[in-house]
Amino acid sequence: MKFYIRTFGCQMNVNDSEKMAGILKTLGYELAQDWTEADVILVNTCSVREKPDQKVLSALGEFKKIKKQNPNAIIGVCGCLAQRAGYEILQKAPFIDMVFGTTNIHHLPKLLQEAKEGNKAVEILEEIDSSEFELDQYPTVRENKYTAFVTVIRGCDKKCTYCIVPTTRGKERSRRIGDILREIQFLVEDGVKEIHLIGQNVTAYGKDLGDVKFYELLYAVADIKGVERIRFTTGHPRDLDEETIKAMADIPQVCEALHLPIQAGSDKILQAMDRGYTQKEYLHKIELLKKYIPDIALSTDIIVGFPGETYEDYLETIKVLKEVEYDQVFAFKYSPRPGTPAADMPMAETPETLSKWLNDLINMQKDITFKKNLAYENKVVEVLVEEQKEDGQYVGRTRTNKLVHFYGRDNLLGEIVDVKIEKVNRFSLEGVLN
Ligand code: 5AD
Ligand code: SF4
């Protein structure tokens, strides 16, 4: 028996899929090369913007074919779109056998059994109960042997007016620190070198537990022998305090990279989004980061065209991008999400104008990203070697999360090596083993 999982969306979804693969392996299933040979197909969905919604729906059309080929195949839909609109999906695509929400993943064995018996297996909880932590007991099946995601907190208590996540992922629930450290110990014994702590709002870790803070978690993870690198995503600017920034600078394993979404540069728009900071307050955090960690690589998320955003507001975003000089920017056009407070707010501009703004912003940022990469020319950087191509070329990442291609000697997979950068591209660096 074989399974296939298609994952949309963020790192939390990737980690959930790795856990589902772990559950299915425990049940005796093997990973299929592609969906045409699978007995169980799971689609782990995202609902953050309208586009991912549509992508999921068209993927489902594709999977319908599998039922013709193999009528016994079981198709399940889970993740954020399932949580938000599970019953709607079932109506639109009645050939689906299982639908489950973001907090029901640990019930996959039970749901699969129900589906096998010919029933529609549906479980979408409105109320979250602590049994969801059972999911963390399962092993993960990971594509990357040397770097691993570890979920430390689920959900989000912020109320950004554009965002569907509090609806699809619920309130903040931190995992207990002992459980997290045990999982990391296990990963390290399995050969993992880089631990990537994840959560919708990782910097809020511990607030609901009351006795532990995020920076203390960083120190505790760093104390585990064999943890060579630590990353974390996503931090919220409001919860990123000076203690955390100091810990980042102080702990040798914490990488010099941070994704800190600003969303918009204009104070008026930040307030309408209910982000809880002004441009000045955000820039103060950036200043602190650069002060404590001078060679930090920063990245951010931008929403272009939030309701009410005028050209002057948009120019404030451009101003911030020019000032901060991010290594990478993920920018999207605002997309109204059903049920969010902003969904009914009127737009100030036409979709065409917003597309132009978005394009201009992306083009401007391309040059900044390239300029940041150029600073690596002829430098020696530390690379964790994650992959080797057929022609022997290695692929890895710097501590600042830059992709590096290089040639070296045999048996470097999983090693941390020095690479001299000889060529700089827009999205990657090329070099030779130093
Ligand atoms: N429209 C556009 N982008 C959005 N994001 C979240 N909600 C929306 C929305 N309604 C973006 C934010 C967030 C990233 C994951 O997706 O920038 O940081
Ligand atoms: Fe998409 Fe947000 Fe859900 Fe991640 S948490 S899968 S980004 S909707």
Side-chain angles (χ1 to χ4, degrees):
M1 298 287 267
K2 291 188 172 171
F3 70 92
Y4 179 79
I5 305 179
R6 175 97 186 262
T7 308
F8 295 87
C10 65
Q11 291 153 340
M12 296 296 284
N13 259 20
V14 172
N15 194 223
D16 285 345
S17 289
E18 290 171 345
K19 286 277 175 194
M20 291 195 289
I23 295 177
L24 290 167
K25 276 230 158 166
T26 313
L27 294 175
Y29 286 83
E30 285 303 318
L31 185 66
Q33 288 301 315
D34 71 87
W35 57 268
T36 51
E37 58 170 45
D39 306 284
V40 175
I41 298 176
L42 295 175
V43 189
N44 195 359
T45 63
C46 171
S47 195
V48 76
R49 285 172 293 274
E50 207 178 335
K51 252 203 187 137
D53 267 16
Q54 286 164 354
K55 271 196 208 159
V56 169
L57 294 175
S58 68
L60 287 179
E62 212 177 296
F63 291 131
K64 194 177 175 181
K65 293 182 208 147
I66 197 94
K67 280 279 183 186
K68 281 209 183 109
Q69 263 170 268
N70 178 3
N72 292 327
I74 288 170
I75 303 182
V77 180
C78 57
C80 289
L81 180 61
Q83 181 74 37
R84 180 174 80 71
Y87 293 97
E88 220 177 295
I89 296 175
L90 211 53
Q91 263 181 350
K92 278 192 190 145
F95 59 89
I96 288 166
D97 306 286
M98 293 190 292
V99 177
F100 51 103
T102 52
T103 60
N104 316 113
I105 304 171
H106 58 297
H107 285 157
L108 179 56
K110 189 187 85 187
L111 292 162
L112 194 54
Q113 189 54 39
E114 275 174 41
K116 274 184 168 171
E117 287 165 9
N119 303 312
K120 289 259 179 260
V122 182
E123 194 176 293
I124 301 164
L125 280 191
E126 305 257 316
E127 293 282 317
I128 299 159
D129 70 60
S130 60
S131 75
E132 66 167 342
F133 288 104
E134 286 168 21
L135 181 64
D136 301 318
Q137 309 302 323
Y138 286 98
T140 47
V141 175
R142 291 169 290 107
E143 257 178 43
N144 193 319
K145 275 180 79 168
Y146 309 108
T147 157
F149 290 134
V150 175
T151 297
V152 300
I153 179 170
R154 298 188 169 88
C156 182
D157 283 358
K158 299 273 186 291
K159 294 200 166 39
C160 304
T161 52
Y162 53 80
C163 191
I164 194 75
V165 173
T167 314
T168 61
R169 293 277 181 174
K171 286 187 77 61
E172 285 166 5
R173 294 95 68 199
S174 299
R175 279 177 72 190
R176 294 160 69 123
I177 193 162
D179 293 344
I180 296 171
L181 299 179
R182 221 167 295 127
E183 179 174 348
I184 294 173
Q185 180 70 48
F186 178 81
L187 288 166
V188 168
E189 282 164 16
D190 200 32
V192 169
K193 302 281 171 74
E194 179 179 286
I195 297 294
H196 196 152
L197 307 174
I198 57 170
Q200 269 85 29
N201 180 12
V202 264
T203 32
Y205 175 77
K207 278 189 175 173
D208 54 323
L209 299 174
D211 56 353
V212 56
K213 294 210 164 135
F214 180 64
Y215 79 90
E216 292 171 317
L217 174 67
L218 287 179
Y219 276 104
V221 174
D223 272 346
I224 297 176
K225 205 167 166 280
V227 173
E228 309 253 9
R229 283 180 172 188
I230 302 171
R231 302 186 190 279
F232 59 88
T233 324
T234 300
H236 191 288
R238 253 195 92 170
D239 296 328
L240 181 75
D241 50 24
E242 194 161 349
E243 272 168 330
T244 302
I245 298 175
K246 279 186 185 161
M248 289 172 69
D250 185 43
I251 301 171
Q253 295 107 310
V254 175
C255 292
E256 296 76 26
L258 188 67
H259 183 65
L260 198 64
I262 182 169
Q263 312 297 2
S266 143
D267 285 346
K268 181 189 97 191
I269 297 301
L270 287 170
Q271 200 180 5
M273 289 175 162
D274 205 1
R275 287 291 289 173
Y277 53 81
T278 60
Q279 181 195 113
K280 197 165 159 223
E281 284 162 347
Y282 178 91
L283 289 176
H284 177 63
K285 302 260 160 122
I286 296 287
E287 203 181 300
L288 281 179
L289 282 161
K290 287 182 173 173
K291 179 179 127 197
Y292 283 107
I293 312 157
D295 42 4
I296 192 163
L298 296 162
S299 56
T300 200
D301 288 340
I302 299 287
I303 297 177
V304 170
F306 183 83
E309 186 170 89
T310 62
Y311 189 59
E312 283 66 42
D313 295 318
Y314 163 78
L315 289 181
E316 288 295 311
T317 304
I318 297 288
K319 190 191 105 190
V320 171
L321 297 196
K322 284 187 175 156
E323 189 173 327
V324 176
E325 295 200 313
Y326 294 99
D327 284 72
Q328 230 182 335
V329 171
F330 302 90
F332 301 96
K333 203 153 75 166
Y334 169 71
S335 166
R337 301 285 65 211
T340 57
D344 303 321
M345 297 181 192
M347 306 287 281
E349 295 293 341
T350 62
E352 294 72 34
T353 304
L354 298 184
S355 296
K356 184 179 178 316
W357 292 1
L358 178 65
N359 262 334
D360 291 350
L361 184 151
I362 290 172
N363 283 332
M364 184 199 81
Q365 179 58 39
K366 264 189 197 156
D367 293 340
I368 298 177
T369 298
F370 190 48
K371 182 180 145 195
K372 296 295 264 188
N373 284 355
L374 277 177
Y376 285 77
E377 212 165 37
N378 297 320
K379 290 241 167 78
V380 174
V381 288
E382 186 204 285
V383 174
L384 169 60
V385 189
E386 296 174 23
E387 195 191 323
Q388 187 170 26
K389 303 257 183 210
E390 264 175 27
D391 71 348
Q393 191 187 46
Y394 289 106
V395 187
R397 284 184 187 271
T398 65
R399 290 172 62 94
T400 50
N401 217 7
K402 305 265 176 200
L403 201 60
V404 179
H405 297 264
F406 72 100
Y407 289 94
R409 52 184 163 74
D410 288 345
N411 300 326
L412 289 183
L413 276 176
E415 300 290 316
I416 292 178
V417 297
D418 284 339
V419 174
K420 179 150 191 230
I421 301 304
E422 294 183 328
K423 187 161 178 255
V424 172
N425 306 313
R426 277 196 189 277
F427 300 107
S428 66
L429 309 172
E430 289 175 42
V432 290
L433 191 67
N434 198 39

